[in-house]
């Protein structure tokens, strides 16, 4: 029986909740149903649950005291950061037996160290605020994603977030040097040394990165900083097809000496949707080709030769007819406009009707075949379906969204979603890919994980879960079944 199904004696639970209320104080206890409501549902509104309490501890010590009390009274806990996750991981279940533990008051940037190139932050710091603090110290914190104005670093680490700059700087896992974690029994693991070299056995921090709140609560982290870019070049280039895009990727890496930070593939159909549905968005590139690449180079060097070489590179891709049209941002406003267009395609798809999202990855070289095959199976399964395959192609990560056929009944389309998703996942798995590249598993994909991950890997994951959280109190019913 999981912790979710248990009904702790009402008296015992009530006593524990009263003590927890004392621990977090009035500012740390959400009573008002209106204030609680946004924390009981996920960003996509796929799941809406209930909670025994919604608490906001203000320090690691308070988190530890709350968790200890919950462990004693067998109360399950759902950690929640910015609640921007896309797989329902931070929403409580319908039973109402869990407490939701918000990290928003763990909001201190403890230290910026420009010599060691590190920043030490608490779990509830908003990603954008870390980027800003790094910039103020003339450094770069490179994790960047659409939700950066709301997501918390604790959530980024718990989901091993990816985003736009993974190509050059890696994902959240690659950016972390140390963690502080409150374990399911309430003990605190202080792994904040921030050492760049430390081979003293198992690297525990990596157990918690990507664990989606199922092994403990991240309360603080030491993160890597990098030199600030001094020169940036952003371009949107039209290409014939995804194969041309992958060829362009390779050439762009070579021409820039590895200083390519972002490489996003977007089908023209998605750009057209964005221009049609989202105000203030324009497509500065003509061309009748079906695909665009948004790419960005950045270097800490101030040598003008860098930009000259890139301009020559772009010219050459035109001469070779690899690129058929395009624009290079001439100033910051134009650069922002290109990124706005990239963000707008997500908003636009929502307005085009019901859609089924997939966040998958395959080897970069296989991206063109994957897009072709997945499109073919989706169209065979659902004639008229509109396929929007876009995303971080430089990392082999495709967001394959299936938008309902024009004029069709959205609810009927979604009722067939499982057959469509399984057809797409069959293609992914046959190509040796992953059914979740960056958004994680949460509640949404746990059945798919159980069906698709190797039995050996699943066995190891379950053993780790049982070793750290034997009573199953940490975000039960998420990630693992
Ligand atoms: P939440 O949604 O609050 O939580 C996510 C999971 O982590 C839950 O399982 C929760 O229980 C757990 N958790 C949260 N905090 C902690 C903690 N302190 N300790 C332990 N567990 C914790 N994701 C990408 O990877 N790349 C993208 O490019 C990207 N773009 C996005 C764009 C938009 C517009 C939106 C809405 C989302 C996007 N996401 C993206 C998804 C989402 O932003 C990330 O998953 C993000 O890392 C979640 O952070 P959060 O603070 O909102 O976490
Ligand atoms: Zn993404």
């Amino acid at each position: 029986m999981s912790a979710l199904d248990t009904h702790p004696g009402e008296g015992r639970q009530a006593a524990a909740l009263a003590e927890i209320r004392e621990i977090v104080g009035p500012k740390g206890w959400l009573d008002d149903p209106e204030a609680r409501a946004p924390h009981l549902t996920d960003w996509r509104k796929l799941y809406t649950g209930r909670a025994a309490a919604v608490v906001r501890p203000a320090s690691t010590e308070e988190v530890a005291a709350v968790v200890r009390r919950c462990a004693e009274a067998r109360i399950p806990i759902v950690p929640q950061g910015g609640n921007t996750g896309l797989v329902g991981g931070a929403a409580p279940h319908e039973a109402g037996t869990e407490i939701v533990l918000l990290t928003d008051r763990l909001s201190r940037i403890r230290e910026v160290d420009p010599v060691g190139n590190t920043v030490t932050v608490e779990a509830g710091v908003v990603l954008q605020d870390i980027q800003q603090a790094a910039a103020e110290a003339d450094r770069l914190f490179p994790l960047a994603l659409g939700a950066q104005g709301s997501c918390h670093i604790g959530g980024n680490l718990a989901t091993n977030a990816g985003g736009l700059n993974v190509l050059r700087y890696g994902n959240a896992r690659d950016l972390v040097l140390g963690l502080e974690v409150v374990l399911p029994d309430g003990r605190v693991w202080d792994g904040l040394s921030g050492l760049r070299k430390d081979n003293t056995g198992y690297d525990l921090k990596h157990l918690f990165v990507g664990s989606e709140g199922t092994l403990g609560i991240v309360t603080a982290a030491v993160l890597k900083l990098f030199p600030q870019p001094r020169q940036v070049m952003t371009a949107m280039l039209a290409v014939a097809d995804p194969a041309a895009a992958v060829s362009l990727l390779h050439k762009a890496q070579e021409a820039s000496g590895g200083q390519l930070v972002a490489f996003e593939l977007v089908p023209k159909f998605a750009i057209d949707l964005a221009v049609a549905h989202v105000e203030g968005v324009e497509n500065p590139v003509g061309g009748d080709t079906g695909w665009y690449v948004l790419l960005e180079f950045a270097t800490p060097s101030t040598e003008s030769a860098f930009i000259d070489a890139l301009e020559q590179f772009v010219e050459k891709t035109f001469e070779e007819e690899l690129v058929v049209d395009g624009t290079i941002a001439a100033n910051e406003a134009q650069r922002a406009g290109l990124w706005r267009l990239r963000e707008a395609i997500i908003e636009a798809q929502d307005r085009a009707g019901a859609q089924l999202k997939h966040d998958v990855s395959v080897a970069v070289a296989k991206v063109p075949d994957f897009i072709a095959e997945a499109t073919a199976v989706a169209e065979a399964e659902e004639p008229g379906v509109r396929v929007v395959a876009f995303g971080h192609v430089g990392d082999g990560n495709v967001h394959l969204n299936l938008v309902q056929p024009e004029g069709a009944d959205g609810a009927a389309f979604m009722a067939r979603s499982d057959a469509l998703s399984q057809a797409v996942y069959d293609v992914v798995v046959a190509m040796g890919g992953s059914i979740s590249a960056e958004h994680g598993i949460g509640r949404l994909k746990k059945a798919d994980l159980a069906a698709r991950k190797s039995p050996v890997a699943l066995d190891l994951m379950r053993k780790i879960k049982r070793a750290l959280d034997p009573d199953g109190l940490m975000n039960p019913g998420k990630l693992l079944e």
Side-chain angles (χ1 to χ4, degrees):
M1 190 154 71
S2 87
L4 270 182
D5 310 318
T6 58
H7 294 280
E10 261 179 36
R12 187 165 74 144
Q13 190 185 31
L17 290 174
E19 279 177 49
I20 288 169
R21 192 174 183 148
E22 286 293 306
I23 292 165
V24 296
K27 273 196 191 157
W29 184 268
L30 285 193
D31 251 337
D32 175 13
E34 245 175 73
R36 285 164 55 121
H39 303 291
L40 303 180
T41 190
D42 65 302
W43 178 277
R44 293 172 65 189
K45 311 249 180 307
L46 297 175
Y47 306 102
T48 298
R50 297 185 305 128
V54 180
V55 299
R56 304 170 61 219
S59 64
T60 303
E61 293 70 31
E62 283 189 16
V63 174
V66 169
V67 172
R68 213 165 23 245
R69 204 60 202 89
C70 285
E72 286 159 7
R74 297 279 192 277
I75 299 173
I77 302 175
V78 182
Q80 188 179 103
N83 202 14
T84 67
L86 300 175
V87 290
H93 287 85
E94 294 74 6
T97 52
E98 297 160 305
I99 73 162
V100 177
L101 188 148
L102 308 182
T103 57
D104 63 332
R105 291 175 77 212
L106 302 171
S107 56
R108 267 187 331 126
I109 296 183
R110 291 188 190 164
E111 189 194 6
V112 180
D113 172 1
V115 177
N117 273 316
T118 62
V119 58
T120 305
V121 294
E122 295 182 351
V125 181
V126 172
L127 174 56
Q128 204 164 49
D129 294 341
I130 303 177
Q131 297 167 344
Q132 178 105 33
E136 281 162 16
D138 198 25
R139 295 292 181 274
L140 171 76
F141 182 61
L143 190 66
L145 43 128
Q148 65 196 24
S150 337
C151 62
H152 296 181
I153 191 66
N156 298 145
L157 291 163
T159 58
N160 185 24
L164 301 167
N165 296 338
V166 173
L167 186 59
R168 169 74 180 79
Y169 297 100
N171 44 32
R173 184 184 302 286
D174 299 304
L175 301 172
V176 63
L177 287 170
L179 286 186
E180 179 187 81
V181 182
V182 173
L183 302 172
D185 60 8
R187 281 180 302 162
V188 179
W189 173 56
D190 179 353
L192 286 178
S193 71
L195 296 173
R196 288 188 183 254
K197 293 185 115 178
D198 178 13
N199 280 350
T200 52
Y202 302 147
D203 199 335
L204 297 174
K205 63 179 177 290
H206 287 309
L207 259 186
F208 297 100
V209 176
S211 67
E212 302 186 27
T214 63
L215 299 179
I217 300 175
V218 175
T219 48
V222 186
L223 307 165
K224 291 181 193 168
L225 298 178
F226 295 82
Q228 276 272 36
R230 304 289 174 210
Q231 299 185 84
V232 177
M233 180 173 141
T234 310
M236 191 162 121
L237 305 175
V239 293
D241 51 31
V246 170
S247 168
L248 181 67
L249 168 69
H250 177 66
K251 289 174 189 230
Q253 287 281 35
E254 211 168 62
S256 65
Q259 304 287 14
L260 182 62
V261 290
F263 191 92
E264 299 284 310
L265 178 69
V266 188
K268 183 166 189 299
F269 167 62
I271 298 275
D272 291 347
L273 275 183
V275 172
H277 291 287
V278 184
E279 213 175 304
V281 165
E282 285 170 29
N283 177 8
V285 183
D288 292 330
T289 62
W291 299 86
Y292 295 100
V293 169
L294 177 57
L295 69 175
E296 188 159 282
F297 303 94
T299 177
S301 157
T302 50
E303 296 286 332
S304 62
F306 178 75
I307 296 290
D308 295 346
L310 289 179
E311 280 172 359
Q312 281 167 23
F313 159 71
V314 173
E315 247 169 61
K316 199 157 158 249
T317 61
F318 274 87
E319 283 161 18
E320 290 170 351
E321 294 178 8
L322 180 60
V323 166
V324 293
D325 208 330
T327 182
I328 296 177
N331 51 46
E332 187 48 40
Q334 286 183 8
R335 172 176 178 252
L338 291 179
W339 282 111
R340 172 88 188 103
L341 184 54
R342 164 68 179 81
E343 291 306 327
I345 67 170
I346 298 166
E347 222 173 302
Q349 287 166 60
D350 284 338
R351 306 214 189 139
Q355 56 158 322
L356 186 56
K357 294 174 190 257
H358 305 91
D359 160 41
V360 300
S361 62
V362 293
V364 175
K366 292 183 182 167
V367 165
D369 284 349
F370 168 71
I371 292 178
E373 279 185 41
T375 302
V377 297
E379 284 172 349
E381 194 71 41
E382 182 77 31
V385 71
R386 292 170 289 170
V387 179
V388 182
F390 71 103
H392 324 295
V393 162
D395 315 316
N397 179 187
V398 180
H399 294 311
L400 189 104
N401 290 355
L402 305 177
V403 184
Q404 64 167 77
E406 212 154 9
D409 174 7
F413 171 73
M414 290 313 279
R416 290 190 293 280
S417 64
D418 195 50
L420 270 166
S421 289
Q422 297 312 324
V424 170
Y425 291 152
D426 284 345
V427 178
V428 172
V429 172
M431 290 192 172
S434 167
I435 61 159
S436 179
E438 62 174 6
H439 297 159
I441 301 297
R443 194 166 161 186
L444 186 64
K445 292 191 191 166
K446 64 177 180 158
D448 295 317
L449 185 83
R452 306 271 180 181
K453 192 123 179 151
S454 91
V456 178
L458 280 171
D459 179 50
L460 288 175
M461 284 168 64
R462 291 190 183 116
K463 283 189 172 130
I464 291 168
K465 168 75 176 169
R466 270 200 300 275
L468 270 78
D469 182 20
D471 295 322
L473 296 173
M474 276 292 158
N475 215 2
K478 311 288 170 55
L479 213 171
L480 292 169
E481 286 191 302

